[in-house]
Amino acid sequence: MTEHDALAHNYHPLPVTIARGEGVVLTDVEGKQYLDFLASYSAANFGHRHPAIMEALRAQLDRVTLTSRAFLHDQLEPFAEKLTRLAGKQMMLPMNTGAEAVETAIKVARKWGYLVKGVERDRATIVVAHGNFHGRTTTVISFSDDEHARADFGPYTPGFRTAPYGDADAVERAIDEHTVAVLIEPIQGEAGVLIPPEGYLRRVREITAKHGVLFIADEVQSGLARTGETFAVDHEGVVPDMYVLGKALGGGVLPVSAVVADRDVLGVIEPGQHGSTFGGNPLAAAVGSAVVELLEPGDFQRQAARLEPVLREGLEALTDRGVVDVRVRGLWAGIDIDPSLATGREVCERLAERGVLAKDTHGSSIRFSPPLVITEQQLAQGIDALSGVLGELSR
Ligand SMILES: *Cc1c(COP(=O)(O)O)cnc(C)c1O
């Protein structure tokens, strides 16, 4: 029994208790400072308490915070206009969490399939990828293949078919006459920052267009500047039919998510068919607008692209020290530690002792996703800490 026993055990946090955050730096209750190399799984892409986001938040706190969608408010349409312009789409539907936005995309795709494509009612299938992570709701875990995430939570929602990640031919084989959409992460985050082979996203775009099914890109973690582009699909010049956004859209302060698509897709939803008490609330919309304004000039995207080689070279230099694989796109990296040396967890615990916070994903994989406001020097400091930990472990 621990002092935390009032808290359900659905997480196993590192033994660090944060009290403050500013930019890239988190400070614990004892005053010890850490470099944040996780950025709340990319939800804090702009750093902790970014001044523009705090200003938008404070201004809105003094006006109105929650109206529900029963009434209009003056923040939502400007947010929708900005976000759709950023994505080059016509409509958005606001929700709160990433999982809710994924659920929204599934509902929209199914209804689009029945109404527009003419798929037989209640027979729709959606093709997903092995190793996917799209959230924790009962429907979303139904098409996860992570047994730990799904065992004992059945019965599962039917209507999903799985293809190996990175294999476009397998996606095509999984499409049948009932298929309404292909739902994939352009880079698999939770799986350990797995980057598909070059050309995969382009081929999935061609295949989905050829078969008349929607391409849904879950950019909840990969999107909004993390990879050096606004969206990870931009690296292959691909435009999906639907973007699923979350995490960084809330500016590190609130849950804000959305699906963004053209009118011929999102327009199938009519009043009463989908919604959320908090989705698109004034505070969330004000913060979401501030986030889009930060993204419009492209500086965060460029910063991530500029630091990519620093991160890659720093990590690749450790491949003779216990790092067995390095995957980098923008300011986002997944590494695998030689399992005979340590688990990802052990490395993260030792990194925390050295003042760097990162999180293992599966077994021996660790993900690095520092806030995009990180300096080259701070980035080097984090990599040095990792080098120190690996040295200590191999002694
Ligand atoms: C985090 C994540 C989600 C779920 O977001 P929540 O806000 O935790 O519900 C969905 N898809 C991807 C790709 C994610 O990384």
Side-chain angles (χ1 to χ4, degrees):
M1 297 286 120
T2 73
E3 57 190 302
H4 300 297
D5 253 358
L7 204 53
H9 296 170
N10 58 328
Y11 280 90
H12 180 33
L14 291 171
V16 171
T17 305
I18 303 300
R20 296 193 64 91
E22 186 81 50
V24 185
V25 178
L26 292 170
T27 307
D28 75 8
V29 286
E30 271 132 37
K32 178 173 171 170
Q33 295 197 326
Y34 301 85
L35 289 176
D36 183 0
F37 266 60
L38 182 64
S40 310
Y41 304 96
S42 279
N45 273 1
F46 310 100
H48 296 280
R49 303 170 59 248
H50 188 285
I53 292 165
M54 297 314 288
E55 194 184 302
L57 186 65
R58 281 196 201 97
Q60 194 57 39
L61 275 173
D62 288 337
R63 296 177 66 231
V64 64
T65 54
L66 190 60
T67 56
S68 84
R69 295 287 301 277
F71 317 113
L72 302 174
H73 65 76
D74 62 5
Q75 295 297 308
L76 188 51
E77 283 188 37
F79 174 39
E81 273 164 34
K82 288 187 186 115
L83 184 61
T84 52
R85 198 182 328 123
L86 184 78
K89 295 285 185 193
Q90 294 168 331
M91 288 182 133
M92 66 86 105
L93 192 159
M95 296 295 282
N96 311 284
T97 63
E100 286 175 312
V102 172
E103 292 271 356
T104 303
I106 291 168
K107 284 175 71 176
V108 169
R110 285 177 171 180
K111 188 160 188 222
W112 173 89
Y114 302 135
L115 258 64
V116 180
K117 198 184 173 192
V119 169
E120 195 183 329
R121 199 160 299 272
D122 293 341
R123 297 290 301 276
T125 62
I126 294 176
V127 177
V128 298
H130 277 301
N132 69 71
F133 180 85
H134 297 284
R136 300 295 197 170
T137 59
T138 42
T139 287
V140 169
I141 56 140
S142 294
F143 56 90
S144 166
D145 48 19
D146 178 350
E147 268 315 298
H148 194 61
R150 99 189 217 111
D152 299 328
F153 300 124
Y156 303 110
T157 306
F160 299 94
R161 303 172 62 125
T162 309
Y165 188 62
D167 182 346
D169 293 333
V171 167
E172 183 157 36
R173 284 194 298 276
I175 291 174
D176 63 17
E177 79 264 37
H178 302 301
T179 302
V180 295
V182 173
L183 165 65
I184 51 170
E185 299 155 84
I187 291 176
Q188 286 189 331
E190 294 306 302
V193 191
L194 299 188
I195 302 168
E198 165 77 27
Y200 172 65
L201 301 172
R202 265 195 309 277
R203 283 269 292 131
V204 169
R205 175 67 285 186
E206 283 160 19
I207 289 162
T208 48
K210 177 173 127 194
H211 293 274
V213 309
L214 301 177
F215 180 178
I216 305 171
D218 182 347
E219 294 258 14
V220 169
Q221 193 166 161
S222 59
L224 310 184
R226 171 57 56 193
T227 65
E229 297 277 0
T230 302
F231 303 108
V233 288
D234 295 344
H235 290 278
E236 291 203 12
V238 161
V239 179
D241 298 295
M242 218 183 313
Y243 292 97
V244 184
L245 303 176
K247 291 201 168 101
L249 193 58
V253 295
L254 290 169
V256 183
S257 69
V259 299
V260 189
D262 278 336
R263 201 160 290 122
D264 58 347
V265 175
L266 251 185
V268 300
I269 297 289
E270 287 165 16
Q273 295 180 339
H274 192 58
S276 158
T277 303
F278 289 94
N281 69 71
L283 211 49
V287 164
S289 283
V291 164
V292 176
E293 282 166 20
L294 286 177
L295 289 167
E296 274 166 350
D299 295 331
F300 288 94
Q301 294 87 325
R302 278 189 289 277
Q303 168 78 344
R306 187 177 74 76
L307 291 178
E308 175 179 314
V310 180
L311 182 58
R312 173 178 294 108
E313 283 155 30
L315 294 173
E316 282 177 351
L318 301 176
T319 45
D320 57 351
R321 313 265 309 268
V323 174
V324 292
D325 195 36
V326 175
R327 304 169 293 275
V328 181
R329 181 62 55 86
L331 262 177
W332 203 18
I335 62 168
D336 297 339
I337 302 290
D338 178 353
S340 69
L341 194 66
T343 61
R345 171 90 191 177
E346 283 164 339
V347 171
C348 289
E349 283 170 356
R350 287 171 187 248
L351 275 174
E353 283 166 19
R354 288 173 182 256
V356 173
L357 295 179
K359 187 73 176 77
D360 49 305
T361 52
H362 292 114
S364 63
S365 299
I366 301 172
R367 160 193 22 210
F368 298 113
S369 52
L372 306 178
V373 293
I374 196 167
T375 64
E376 195 167 329
Q377 194 211 336
Q378 289 170 319
L379 193 56
Q381 219 177 309
I383 297 165
D384 278 352
L386 177 63
S387 172
V389 167
L390 294 172
E392 177 180 296
L393 283 165
S394 51
R395 271 210 299 275

